[in-house]
Amino acid sequence: MAAADSPSTALRRRDLCSRGIRLAGKMRADVIDLLDAYVERQGLDASASVAAVEGVPLAAVERWDEQTGTQRLLENLAAYRAFRTLLAQMLEEQREQLGEADAGLGRALAAVLLQVSAFTYHLEELLRLESRGIPGEEEDGPPPPPRLSIFEQKLRGLGVLRELAQWAVRSTRDLRQLAKPSSATGTAPGLTESP
Amino acid sequence: DSHIQYERVGADVTMKCGSMDWDAAVTWTANGTDINESRLNGSYLILKNVNLSQSGQYSCYEGSSWHLKYQTSLRVGMPPKEPVLMCRSNNYPKGFYCSWHLPTPTYIPNTFNISVIHGTKDMVCEKDVIPKNRCHIRYLQLFSTVKYKVTLTVTNALGKNSTTLTFDEFAIVKPDPPESVVAKPVPNNPRRLEVSWQNPSSWPDPESFPLKFFLRYRPLILDQWQHVELSDGTSHTITDAYAGKEYIIQVAAKDNDIGTWSDWSVAVHATPWTEEPKHLTTEAQITETTSASTSSFMAPPTTKICDKGTVVGSGAVAVCWTAGLVVAAYSVLFI
């Protein structure tokens, strides 16, 4: 049987979760603005369907309500680490394609990248709080992508931003689950797993 | 042999009397009433440009024997127009429902078939018993970027029509309005109203999926609404109400992160607290007041005369001023 949280641990978790929720909310708002700008500047159709691209973590999940707290944190961490790499790639590609002609888009991408990095750190803090080992980055990193045409790069960028927007909502929900007092004990969606 | 025959409004209908020859002597009835021979072409019944009122039971009898030779139920109606389809999730994240109706009636039976596809996956939309033009779907996945495609086909004997809706998971989230909205005056506060409400009972997990709220209020005498958005809690105190005025108040709800605002709740009415105007309580006080003006007018016992020093709401002050004017007018009359 897992031990109950100390009051200070519970308080720290709630604090991290609240701040994480605010960060995820801001991140989502900025990603949605970035999506609009990206579609316009890249000359894409906003309603275009983008097939799942290798390496882009999908936010879609089955039986979300049955996940444990640890599963939530680990899946979030893996996703945001992947987004960090993908956004850095997008930034590089955007600079190559548009150069200084569209510094605004570059700045917006960089700002979102910063938020993703901050959120990743936040997730690592939550995992440390639960005395969970943090998986090494090399295990989570996406494989090097095949060389894509410029159009394929743009479409992939669209897919990345759309999934990131979904993840921001999912993360908000995940953190709310984690912040619940009941998540500190027991086996039902929470951080402590039964033996 | 009894048949059912569906015909379109405005069509020309020819009914044969079963296997009877064209030149056989027959009698046709419509709902038991003989049909005039002028409508017959031989033994065939001709109905031109049929309308809805011509629906009914048509029977054909052999001339002399009155044997029933043929019977049909004629149903005049129309093929379906494009149906109106709506899908909504008022119980996120459990699932969503779709409901539909026809923009104009067909006057004949219709069958509805609905298909829901999520990506490449077919999903089952379970029909509700009541109402029968509705079905619901459980989400198998959450947070998917893949859109849902819902196609509704309506078919009847005269034709078919269909419509398709495509949407993503977040776009259709719309809670039901807040429930149990209550508005109360605050004692000793002439400009405040306390409003409280509850989450809609259809929203399954407000703790994990919190709602935010929008409150609107106005005095009945004005058209302009005041608005307040509230990110948490299910109560709010209005602090800028006009004293003594009756207010109308409504609340709407939205998921904190996704979807659209609910419809407005049922409206509630409330009036802020006002202090009762003070009375003069002794007869001596009333007599002293009237003798100074040399009139014989005496205020009736039920008249409330305001004390100028009393702090009252704006409405009560107007009433006080009017009563004073009446007293003065009568005083002048009797000088």
Side-chain angles (χ1 to χ4, degrees):
Chain A
M1 202 63 143
D5 271 346
S6 69
S8 62
T9 304
L11 205 62
R12 174 87 178 127
R13 182 192 303 114
R14 267 210 319 275
D15 180 54
L16 280 170
C17 287
S18 304
R19 287 196 275 134
I21 288 167
R22 282 197 294 276
L23 187 51
K26 173 78 171 75
M27 186 164 52
R28 182 181 179 227
D30 288 352
V31 170
I32 287 172
D33 288 343
L34 175 55
L35 249 172
D36 289 341
Y38 188 85
V39 160
E40 192 194 322
R41 306 268 172 72
Q42 302 287 29
L44 297 169
D45 176 0
S47 61
S49 259
V50 179
V53 179
E54 193 180 337
V56 178
L58 297 180
V61 59
E62 294 186 7
R63 297 196 181 91
W64 171 84
D65 54 331
E66 294 173 17
Q67 286 196 325
T68 64
T70 304
Q71 275 175 304
R72 293 179 197 282
L73 282 174
L74 290 173
E75 287 188 20
N76 271 265
L77 184 62
Y80 284 93
R81 281 176 170 173
F83 280 122
R84 201 168 49 188
T85 306
L86 289 163
L87 285 169
Q89 258 165 25
M90 282 174 67
L91 201 51
E92 194 52 46
E93 285 161 3
Q94 188 262 340
R95 283 176 186 148
E96 280 173 13
Q97 289 161 29
L98 298 167
E100 288 307 310
D102 202 340
L105 186 61
R107 277 197 297 273
L109 267 168
V112 166
L113 174 54
L114 197 59
Q115 289 177 68
V116 166
S117 299
F119 196 72
T120 306
Y121 175 75
H122 224 81
L123 294 166
E124 288 168 352
E125 281 295 296
L126 274 162
L127 273 165
R128 275 191 202 99
L129 193 66
E130 305 315 313
S131 306
R132 298 279 168 189
I134 298 172
E137 291 225 32
E138 47 284 348
E139 298 168 36
D140 294 328
R147 189 71 194 156
L148 301 175
S149 69
I150 290 179
F151 183 65
E152 285 169 329
Q153 285 175 10
K154 291 179 181 182
L155 280 186
R156 188 186 63 188
L158 183 62
V160 167
L161 293 176
R162 279 182 179 162
E163 285 300 329
L164 180 55
Q166 297 294 100
W167 264 105
V169 177
R170 177 175 163 182
S171 302
T172 301
R173 312 294 196 188
D174 281 329
L175 291 177
R176 281 206 194 100
Q177 291 292 96
L178 287 165
K180 281 181 179 177
S182 57
S183 72
T185 58
T187 58
L191 290 159
T192 313
E193 293 172 14
S194 56
Chain B
D1 248 4
S2 189
H3 306 86
I4 297 177
Q5 186 173 347
Y6 293 98
E7 299 289 347
R8 199 170 172 148
V9 169
D12 294 338
V13 179
T14 300
M15 288 187 197
K16 290 185 183 177
C17 187
S19 56
M20 299 288 284
D21 292 333
W22 176 81
D23 57 358
V26 298
T27 303
W28 282 93
T29 64
N31 299 323
T33 304
D34 286 7
I35 296 174
N36 196 300
E37 279 180 13
S38 63
R39 298 261 193 162
L40 303 187
N41 177 356
S43 63
Y44 298 173
L45 174 62
I46 311 295
L47 300 173
K48 286 195 174 293
N49 190 21
V50 292
N51 60 53
L52 293 171
S53 66
Q54 287 174 291
S55 295
Q57 185 88 313
Y58 288 79
S59 307
C60 176
Y61 299 90
E62 190 176 12
S64 51
S65 66
W66 278 91
H67 283 147
L68 178 65
K69 287 302 191 180
Y70 180 75
Q71 198 166 58
T72 187
S73 177
L74 176 66
R75 312 265 178 98
V76 180
M78 312 228 270
K81 291 208 164 124
E82 184 177 339
V84 178
L85 175 65
M86 181 273 286
C87 297
R88 180 182 155 217
S89 174
N90 65 339
N91 63 342
Y92 190 81
K94 278 194 175 168
F96 64 93
Y97 72 87
C98 295
S99 64
W100 55 87
H101 66 271
L102 289 172
T104 53
T106 61
Y107 304 100
I108 58 175
N110 307 295
T111 53
F112 294 89
N113 211 301
I114 193 160
S115 77
V116 182
I117 300 171
H118 185 220
T120 55
K121 199 169 181 177
D122 278 321
M123 300 180 76
V124 174
C125 196
E126 293 175 33
K127 291 242 175 110
D128 289 349
V129 175
I130 294 169
K132 57 180 183 168
N133 61 332
R134 199 160 104 163
C135 66
H136 61 271
I137 290 160
R138 287 193 152 274
Y139 280 126
L140 298 178
Q141 267 189 347
L142 290 181
F143 314 112
S144 174
T145 51
V146 175
K147 290 187 188 292
Y148 291 83
K149 185 175 162 184
V150 180
T151 301
L152 175 74
T153 305
V154 55
T155 308
N156 69 20
L158 300 175
K160 69 196 276 184
N161 214 322
S162 66
T163 190
T164 297
L165 272 187
T166 306
F167 52 84
D168 62 52
E169 179 188 318
F170 292 171
I172 60 165
V173 175
K174 178 181 173 180
D176 287 328
E179 296 174 4
S180 307
V181 182
V182 173
K184 294 189 292 195
V186 178
N188 301 306
N189 276 285
R191 301 203 66 191
R192 290 187 175 216
L193 287 168
E194 224 164 56
V195 188
S196 64
W197 58 90
Q198 288 176 8
N199 289 311
S201 50
S202 52
W203 196 252
D205 188 1
E207 202 185 335
S208 304
F209 296 83
L211 296 172
K212 58 183 177 184
F213 302 96
F214 215 81
L215 190 111
R216 72 176 185 179
Y217 58 97
R218 63 173 173 86
L220 284 184
I221 55 172
L222 295 179
D223 290 331
Q224 189 103 6
W225 292 96
Q226 299 277 84
H227 293 99
V228 180
E229 185 166 332
L230 303 154
S231 57
D232 55 24
T234 54
S235 63
H236 176 71
T237 302
I238 295 167
T239 57
D240 61 350
Y242 290 116
K245 301 299 178 207
E246 186 179 354
Y247 271 75
I248 179 168
I249 299 146
Q250 288 177 294
V251 192
K254 181 185 168 302
D255 177 87
N256 221 40
D257 305 302
I258 62 175
T260 58
W261 287 99
S262 72
D263 292 340
W264 290 107
S265 69
V266 169
V268 294
H269 293 241
T271 306
W273 174 91
T274 49
E275 186 172 359
E276 287 289 333
K278 290 198 176 150
H279 317 280
L280 282 177
T281 53
T282 66
E283 202 173 282
Q285 283 175 307
I286 292 168
T287 308
E288 189 182 345
T289 307
T290 52
S291 63
S293 64
T294 69
S295 85
S296 58
F297 171 74
M298 283 186 60
T302 53
T303 303
K304 291 175 183 155
I305 299 176
C306 300
D307 178 356
K308 280 188 293 188
T310 306
V311 175
V312 292
S314 56
V317 166
V319 170
C320 288
W321 184 83
T322 306
L325 197 61
V326 167
V327 169
Y330 270 100
S331 303
V332 167
L333 204 62
F334 286 102
I335 290 170

